[in-house]
Amino acid sequence: LDPAEYGIFAVATAISTVMGILVIFGLKGAAFKQSFEFEEGKEKGTFYGSLWLFLVLAGAVFTILVDQGWAKLFPNVFSNVPFDPYIRLALWGAYLNGFGVILYEVYRAQAKAKQYASFSFANALTLVTTAVLLVGYLQLGLLGALLAPVITGLIWAVIYTIALAPHMNLRIDWKKLQQALSYS
């Protein structure tokens, strides 16, 4: 990368980090703490399903709004950083990487350190491998560096969803969701 690309990468990484915090709406803490308030089975499954559905749907809407809003405003703030594709990739990478939040908190609440660590390690390995392939092998430079988290996020969104499926009921319980959002 040349110095200008490092600058773009730094801005994109900072935006992705902040977006990653915002797009999960603080539900990470609620998923852990409030999971102890529900009995195993349907009630806890509905709680996790409500949180997951909200994160997927509201997170997508939030990301679209930020994407569209920033596409118009961004050039006025960062005139030397192209929004498209770099910042757009950072935004969507942050959204996709939020899919694992509920599963990690399920494992944490159940004291399943082995699963938690295994998923964390495998996700990191996927990211590093993808980045090496895109940047080192395919020579995509900055584009590859910012595309790697998006591709990893897509892969792991599917894996996280499959792994979380036995723990959740795909239905929104508005009371449980409201309690979680109030806590978060």
Side-chain angles (χ1 to χ4, degrees):
L1 302 180
D2 65 35
E5 289 176 318
Y6 276 113
I8 294 168
F9 184 74
V11 170
T13 301
I15 289 170
S16 181
T17 301
V18 171
M19 185 67 173
I21 294 167
L22 296 175
V23 79
I24 63 170
F25 303 96
L27 290 173
K28 180 182 188 315
F32 177 74
K33 182 198 173 290
Q34 292 182 326
S35 70
F36 298 106
E37 297 174 14
F38 305 108
E39 290 186 34
E40 287 296 328
K42 186 176 181 183
E43 193 174 356
K44 192 173 280 195
T46 301
F47 172 67
Y48 289 138
S50 296
L51 297 185
W52 186 83
L53 281 168
F54 181 81
L55 285 175
V56 170
L57 299 173
V61 169
F62 180 70
T63 304
I64 289 167
L65 292 173
V66 170
D67 180 295
Q68 296 303 301
W70 274 41
K72 294 175 182 141
L73 298 174
F74 198 81
N76 299 330
V77 179
F78 294 99
S79 59
N80 295 335
V81 178
F83 180 83
D84 210 4
Y86 305 123
I87 303 307
R88 182 163 278 143
L89 286 171
L91 293 174
W92 286 100
Y95 165 70
L96 290 168
N97 284 292
F99 272 65
V101 168
I102 304 302
L103 180 64
Y104 283 115
E105 296 310 304
V106 168
Y107 287 155
R108 197 172 128 204
Q110 295 176 348
K112 292 185 175 181
K114 184 177 179 180
Q115 289 89 336
Y116 190 107
S118 296
F119 273 74
S120 296
F121 178 77
N123 183 302
L125 185 62
T126 305
L127 177 60
V128 170
T129 303
T130 305
V132 167
L133 288 171
L134 295 175
V135 177
Y137 182 71
L138 295 176
Q139 299 291 305
L140 293 179
L142 177 59
L143 180 62
L146 294 172
L147 198 54
V150 175
I151 292 170
T152 300
L154 279 169
I155 293 166
W156 280 90
V158 172
I159 295 168
Y160 289 141
T161 301
I162 291 167
L164 185 59
H167 302 280
M168 68 175 171
N169 301 321
L170 285 181
R171 148 182 181 296
I172 292 185
D173 181 317
W174 293 104
K175 185 177 179 187
K176 287 178 175 70
L177 180 59
Q178 182 182 15
Q179 290 171 337
L181 288 168
S182 293
Y183 175 82
S184 66

